[in-house]
Amino acid sequence: MMGHCCILMPCSGGGLHRIRGGEISLIIVEKGNFMERKAFEDKVRACWFGKCLAGAIGMPYEGVPFTLELQEKEIRLANVPNDDLELQLVWLEALDKYGLTMTCRELGEIWQKRIQHGCDEYSIALYNMKHGIMPPFSGMKNNWFADGMGATIRSEIWALIFAGRPDAAAYFAQQDAEVDHWGDGVRGECFMAMAEAHVCENSDIYAALRYALEHTDSSSRLYRAISEVFQMYDNGVSDEAAKTQILVKYQAHPNFTDCVTNLVFIVNSLLRGSGDFMKTVLDTVNFGRDTDCTAATAGAFLGAAAGMKVFPEKYLSAVADKMELGDFVTSIPGVPLTITDLTARTIALHDRFAAVLPAEKYPEYVPCGEDESLPECYSAGWLILNDDEADINAVKAAVAATGKVPAPYKDRIVTFNTPYLDLSRYSGHYRLHLLTFLEVNNPEQNPDEVVFMATADVGIRVWLDERRILNNHSRHKMLPAFHRVQGGAAFLLPLRYGEKHLLHVELFHGREELQACVMIGNSCNDILDGYDLAID
């Protein structure tokens, strides 16, 4: 309950009147929790406003692998679409249609209907659902990005609709996240939804973040990481010392959208920002990495905590009421197009569900396990040899001439049911060679929009037949994302229906936990079927 003593009297509208110093205002009732109506409306608007403003501040630096020293005078704002907000608008359709009966499966159906393309975990979830692997398994199966930030950035809609009920906010955030995430990727959205739902009612930043931590699985990587942030803060570790320790431990993660890394930055900045919008957002951005998402999340949280007064006056006109949205959102009938409309829609949904929300607590997240009945939607066969085992050039020539693996090496063929090849058993070899045939069985795809990607944790070279098409010795840990590949490259490679090529991947200086990936997609970052990798 928000502070101050008061007298509560029934009113004819079904709510209560608060009488304080001769002033009467209407408040709403939420299963025993009370919230001033005007204050709540202000917080809802401020949450969405903060999401837009802070996201725009961080957007120019998205993905930087280094720290920044951004100052307020250097801020450059641009009104461009922000997926942090856009994807939440898609869920409004599901809320209207299914209400409190909505689960991850219904959200998956809406996703397939409204979100046709996406990057990283979005793309993988779409691919899985296309092949009959529905939520919650669509977020787990073959998902290298299961711990990405893509769900954590969607938490505000659940927090605001279920303000004052962190358990309900976390439950519906889980349903959302399970479409395209698993494990900490789901916990990240639940964490923020709980914290935001708590702070929206109580306005206490520390208490809200602590509540969310206490309701996060204590065995998880997310819990351990955020616990360290609290320990440093509670023990009086200076801002600079804490930042240095955090950067040493977390900045080098190969995926700049890793939710644990970025939530550490967010929570540390919120704790140490003392409710100051500009300090908090700049501190968050200056950690680097997924800066648009971290800034937007911090800005939204502060808006939910303090309302519109948290923003410096000169920025109140910096964000247009009309939101900049992509076509896939604006094509949804009735979707709000302004912050004002989104605020009203959010409050209407809050009021609708507050009247029927069960009093009992919603269950906490438990990750789904493997399901042997799930279809296998990917298979690739590779002949794997190292320099000590064979004359690679001779084997390659024999395979090219006959289309078959020579008999002495048949037992070196390995079949993978995921594009992410775990080669740890081969680590330690100076050079590792992978051979397969790439056969094009997709008659519909435009050859000029085919994207070939190959990446590994070590140096990598790739030949298509006798032509070398990739030479990368960066030694970065692999990041198998079509639009931001790391440890290799992604590039247009015209592959026409009916073609068959010998593919040769050479890896240098194998190390422990060695991984590699070869994948075929299109210019929209979709994983494509009909580009088969097989050898016998």
Side-chain angles (χ1 to χ4, degrees):
M1 178 176 177
M2 298 182 68
H4 308 298
C5 295
C6 59
I7 301 173
L8 300 174
M9 299 181 62
C11 72
S12 59
L16 297 172
H17 280 121
R18 168 172 289 176
I19 304 176
R20 183 175 56 204
E23 179 182 347
I24 301 177
S25 61
L26 181 65
I27 65 174
I28 55 175
V29 180
E30 290 186 312
K31 299 294 183 181
N33 295 320
F34 305 108
M35 213 176 284
E36 292 183 12
R37 183 68 173 193
K38 280 190 175 181
F40 177 59
E41 291 175 353
D42 181 57
K43 286 186 169 196
V44 173
R45 181 177 185 84
C47 182
W48 293 128
F49 185 92
K51 187 81 167 177
C52 296
L53 174 59
I57 292 172
M59 188 171 292
Y61 312 99
E62 179 186 13
V64 294
F66 47 80
T67 57
L68 297 158
E69 295 182 0
L70 182 66
Q71 300 177 45
E72 184 177 358
K73 64 183 180 182
E74 299 170 320
I75 290 174
R76 300 291 182 270
L77 299 177
N79 192 23
V80 296
N82 185 341
D83 65 337
D84 297 35
L85 176 62
E86 288 179 311
L87 295 175
Q88 298 189 66
L89 302 184
V90 175
W91 294 149
L92 295 174
E93 181 177 4
L95 283 161
D96 284 337
K97 184 175 182 180
Y98 298 107
L100 295 181
T101 66
M102 179 189 64
T103 70
C104 57
R105 293 189 71 88
E106 286 77 36
L107 290 172
E109 292 171 3
I110 296 289
W111 188 294
Q112 288 181 285
K113 178 182 177 182
R114 297 299 184 189
I115 307 172
Q116 300 300 310
H117 307 286
C119 304
D120 303 349
E121 58 262 49
Y122 304 160
S123 177
I124 292 166
L126 280 167
Y127 183 83
N128 282 337
M129 289 188 287
K130 174 184 173 182
H131 291 83
I133 301 172
M134 298 303 293
F137 303 105
S138 56
M140 175 192 70
K141 185 76 171 178
N142 292 342
N143 192 356
W144 196 92
F145 300 95
D147 289 349
M149 274 289 282
T152 299
I153 60 176
R154 307 195 296 256
S155 61
E156 290 84 12
I157 189 69
W158 315 113
L160 296 174
I161 289 174
F162 301 106
R165 281 292 301 272
D167 61 301
Y171 173 79
F172 287 100
Q174 171 194 330
Q175 305 310 310
D176 170 1
E178 284 185 312
V179 176
D180 56 337
H181 292 78
W182 184 84
D184 281 325
V186 176
R187 294 186 188 101
E189 183 173 1
C190 293
F191 176 90
M192 283 311 306
M194 286 188 285
E196 290 154 350
H198 191 287
V199 85
C200 195
E201 181 183 27
N202 297 297
S203 302
D204 188 324
I205 292 172
Y206 182 94
L209 294 169
R210 173 64 79 178
Y211 175 92
L213 178 63
E214 290 172 352
H215 290 81
T216 299
D217 181 359
S218 61
S219 67
S220 66
R221 183 168 64 101
L222 178 64
Y223 178 91
R224 295 193 299 271
I226 295 179
S227 293
E228 291 177 8
V229 174
F230 267 97
Q231 288 167 9
M232 288 189 288
Y233 181 77
D234 293 339
N235 292 332
V237 175
S238 71
D239 290 1
E240 284 303 312
K243 182 175 182 179
T244 298
Q245 186 168 329
I246 288 169
L247 288 170
V248 166
K249 189 163 186 178
Y250 294 100
Q251 190 182 38
H253 194 286
N255 181 14
F256 79 73
T257 71
D258 175 63
C259 75
V260 174
T261 296
N262 289 288
L263 276 166
V264 165
F265 300 163
I266 292 166
V267 172
N268 183 78
S269 299
L270 285 169
L271 288 175
R272 295 172 182 273
S274 301
D276 182 290
F277 174 81
M278 195 52 64
K279 172 177 168 47
T280 301
V281 170
L282 288 177
D283 285 353
T284 306
V285 171
N286 286 334
F287 271 105
R289 311 305 277 168
D290 201 356
T291 55
D292 63 324
C293 293
T294 56
T297 300
F301 185 93
L302 290 176
M308 291 298 294
K309 69 177 182 290
V310 80
F311 307 114
E313 186 174 352
K314 67 180 180 179
Y315 289 103
L316 294 180
S317 60
V319 176
D321 190 45
K322 184 178 185 299
M323 297 179 289
E324 192 69 30
L325 303 171
D327 292 343
F328 78 98
V329 179
T330 58
S331 65
I332 301 173
V335 73
L337 302 178
T338 66
I339 294 175
T340 297
D341 289 344
L342 176 57
T343 299
R345 184 81 166 271
T346 305
I347 292 169
L349 286 167
H350 168 273
D351 293 350
R352 170 186 163 189
F353 296 131
V356 294
L357 197 63
E360 60 271 17
K361 296 287 187 182
Y362 279 88
E364 294 183 358
Y365 169 60
V366 177
C368 66
E370 294 284 350
D371 185 341
E372 294 182 358
S373 67
L374 293 176
E376 290 295 348
C377 56
Y378 185 91
S379 179
W382 292 88
L383 170 64
I384 303 178
L385 299 169
N386 64 67
D387 277 348
D388 298 330
E389 293 178 310
D391 181 335
I392 300 301
N393 288 331
V395 173
K396 184 176 177 180
V399 171
T402 65
K404 301 287 185 181
V405 174
Y409 304 107
K410 291 281 190 182
D411 61 349
R412 301 294 200 279
I413 297 174
V414 181
T415 299
F416 297 89
N417 60 7
T418 168
Y420 317 112
L421 313 181
D422 182 0
L423 303 172
S424 299
R425 73 182 104 166
Y426 306 101
S427 63
H429 294 293
Y430 174 62
R431 280 197 171 111
L432 196 64
H433 299 268
L434 288 72
L435 295 174
T436 195
F437 284 103
L438 168 56
E439 188 167 1
V440 183
N441 293 314
N442 187 329
E444 299 176 356
Q445 177 62 36
N446 180 354
D448 294 328
E449 293 186 0
V450 174
V451 177
F452 177 90
M453 179 179 66
T455 176
D457 291 336
V458 295
I460 179 173
R461 295 197 294 184
V462 180
W463 286 262
L464 192 72
D465 300 321
E466 295 301 320
R467 178 165 62 101
R468 192 177 73 185
I469 60 174
L470 174 61
N471 184 29
N472 183 289
H473 292 253
S474 67
R475 299 298 197 275
H476 286 298
K477 294 284 286 184
M478 86 166 191
L479 182 71
F482 285 110
H483 70 303
R484 58 187 181 99
V485 65
Q486 181 174 281
F491 47 88
L492 290 170
L493 181 64
L495 295 169
R496 291 172 171 77
Y497 177 61
E499 292 182 348
K500 185 175 182 179
H501 302 278
L502 179 60
L503 191 63
H504 174 199
V505 176
E506 182 180 20
L507 305 178
F508 296 85
H509 300 291
R511 58 185 176 190
E512 293 181 5
E513 300 180 359
L514 175 62
Q515 285 191 311
C517 176
V518 173
M519 201 150 43
I520 310 296
N522 60 21
S523 55
C524 293
N525 302 307
D526 303 315
I527 304 167
L528 293 177
D529 288 321
Y531 296 82
D532 302 323
L533 303 175
I535 193 168
D536 56 27

